[in-house]
């Protein structure tokens, strides 16, 4: 059955600092016409250039997903893209006055509830949902990591996280995802960092906005701040996967991943998008 596209009923705003840049940034999510998709507007630059949040525009996956168009880029978009995907929002302008959105809670719950508070407006146009009708798969043959998509009547994610640290090890979660399940089980899961890596990241100009308020930090003795879930790492991996998949469009299928990250996720999104042009 055909569904109509939706956008936000009204604009909503949020101000915070970027996870990697550490800079204050104002984000505004606005209604957009049918067939706009998700478009990021750099309001800090002359002529307010627009960057389409599409798989073809991914230019980097180092610690975050970056999209770039017309010589302008935005990075760490995966958390708000994940919330947009979970709420099945087809069209939205995302206005940012910096090249990275706010980290907020280090998860996607802040964005999910912000977007939900805007309400939804139905548009007079049919939704272009991607229905997975065959197997798609991306492998990293050196490490054995992979991510794949299978036909499924709904939106389901199965993820196995493999971390050599004794504190984490192997974690697995499997969710049939609707908005309520996402809000309860997935959206609160935060970014995770190993304490010994933090200084190295900062020397690379990364993680400058990270703190105990938005990142779970662990060392060889244990967790420095309390967890929202015993397996919060794998749940955050699911947040990221859902956000990266949104770069191909709204989807229906079963997505299975083993130790996947932004690089494999966005390659899968590119493969699916190319097959549904």
């Amino acid at each position: 059955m055909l569904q109509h596209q939706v956008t936000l009923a009204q604009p909503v705003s949020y101000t915070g600092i970027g996870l990697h840049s550490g800079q204050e940034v104002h984000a505004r999510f606005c209604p957009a016409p049918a067939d706009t998709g998700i478009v990021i507007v750099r309001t800090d630059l002359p002529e307010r250039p627009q960057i389409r949040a599409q798989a073809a525009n991914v230019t980097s996956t180092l610690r975050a997903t970056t999209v770039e168009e017309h010589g302008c880029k935005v990075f760490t978009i995966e958390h708000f893209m994940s919330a947009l995907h979970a709420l099945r929002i087809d069209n939205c302008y995302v206005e940012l006055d910096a090249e990275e959105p706010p980290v907020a809670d280090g998860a996607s719950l802040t964005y999910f509830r912000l977007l939900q508070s805007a309400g939804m407006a139905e548009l007079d146009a049919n939704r272009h949902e991607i229905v997975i009708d065959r197997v798609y798969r991306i492998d990293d043959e050196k490490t054995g990591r992979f991510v794949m998509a299978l036909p499924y009547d709904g939106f389901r994610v199965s993820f196995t996280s493999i971390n050599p640290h004794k504190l984490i090890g192997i974690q697995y979660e499997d969710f049939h995802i609707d908005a309520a399940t996402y809000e309860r089980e997935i959206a609160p899961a935060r970014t995770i960092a190993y304490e010994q890596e933090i200084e190295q990241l900062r020397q690379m100009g990364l993680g400058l906005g990270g703190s105990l308020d938005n990142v779970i930090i662990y060392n060889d003795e244990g967790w420095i701040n309390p967890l929202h879930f015993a397996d919060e790492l794998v749940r955050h991996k699911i947040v990221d996967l859902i956000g990266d998949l949104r770069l191909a469009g709204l989807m229906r299928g079963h997505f299975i991943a083993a130790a996947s990250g932004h690089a494999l996720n966005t390659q899968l999104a590119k493969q699916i998008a190319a097959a549904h042009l």
Side-chain angles (χ1 to χ4, degrees):
M1 186 174 70
L2 292 174
Q3 297 177 320
H4 283 175
Q5 295 179 33
V6 300
T7 187
L8 301 180
Q10 61 183 342
V12 285
S13 300
Y14 183 82
T15 297
I17 60 170
L19 173 61
H20 293 301
S21 68
Q23 297 178 350
E24 182 175 275
V25 53
H26 302 86
R28 190 167 181 257
F29 296 83
C30 304
D35 298 323
T36 299
I38 310 303
V39 175
I40 301 165
V41 183
R42 287 287 303 273
T43 60
D44 58 317
L45 298 176
E47 300 180 4
R48 296 165 58 98
Q50 297 187 358
I51 305 162
R52 291 169 295 170
Q54 297 180 356
N57 289 334
V58 173
T59 56
S60 175
T61 52
L62 177 64
R63 295 281 177 168
T65 296
T66 299
V67 289
E68 186 170 349
E69 197 171 14
H70 310 302
C72 301
K73 67 179 180 180
V74 177
F75 55 91
T76 324
I77 66 170
E78 56 271 13
H79 298 167
F80 74 71
M81 291 293 290
S82 187
L84 286 163
H85 202 171
L87 286 165
R88 315 293 288 172
I89 296 170
D90 300 90
N91 307 291
C92 182
Y93 288 119
V94 183
E95 298 180 352
L96 299 174
D97 63 356
E99 62 181 8
E100 184 182 32
V103 61
D105 55 358
S108 63
L109 186 61
T110 297
Y111 284 119
F112 181 91
R113 290 181 172 166
L114 179 72
L115 294 166
Q116 200 174 46
S117 72
M120 305 297 153
E122 189 172 286
L123 300 169
D124 187 20
N126 291 331
R127 170 170 283 164
H128 307 299
E129 183 179 51
I130 292 177
V131 177
I132 300 298
D133 56 0
R134 64 176 178 87
V135 176
Y136 297 85
R137 180 168 174 142
I138 301 291
D139 287 90
D140 183 337
E141 295 179 358
K142 291 183 179 179
T143 64
R145 300 178 181 194
F146 71 86
V147 60
M148 61 189 297
L150 304 170
Y152 182 76
D153 187 17
F155 186 57
R156 179 180 176 187
V157 176
S158 306
F159 204 115
T160 303
S161 172
I162 304 169
N163 188 302
H165 196 281
K166 62 183 180 180
L167 190 66
I168 301 172
I170 296 174
Q171 297 181 2
Y172 173 79
E173 279 292 358
D174 176 27
F175 294 107
H176 175 95
I177 297 168
D178 55 25
T181 300
Y182 182 88
E183 181 178 18
R184 182 179 66 251
E185 304 289 349
I186 300 168
R190 297 159 291 175
T191 298
I192 292 178
Y194 183 44
E195 187 178 33
Q196 292 183 6
E197 294 179 335
I198 292 174
E199 185 55 38
Q200 180 184 359
L201 285 172
R202 289 183 171 165
Q203 288 177 6
M204 295 168 61
L206 300 172
L208 302 179
S211 70
L212 292 176
D213 293 328
N214 53 43
V215 178
I216 309 167
I217 299 174
Y218 67 98
N219 55 30
D220 293 335
E221 282 68 56
W223 298 100
I224 293 177
N225 43 347
L227 296 174
H228 289 161
F229 307 99
D231 60 353
E232 193 159 354
L233 172 58
V234 71
R235 293 175 191 242
H236 186 77
K237 290 287 189 179
I238 292 174
V239 169
D240 286 348
L241 175 58
I242 293 171
D244 289 337
L245 289 172
R246 182 61 183 83
L247 293 164
L250 292 177
M251 287 198 253
R252 178 177 296 269
H254 184 187
F255 302 90
I256 303 171
S260 179
H262 295 303
L264 293 182
N265 297 348
T266 55
Q267 286 178 54
L268 181 65
K270 288 179 180 181
Q271 188 181 81
I272 293 171
H276 290 81
L277 289 175

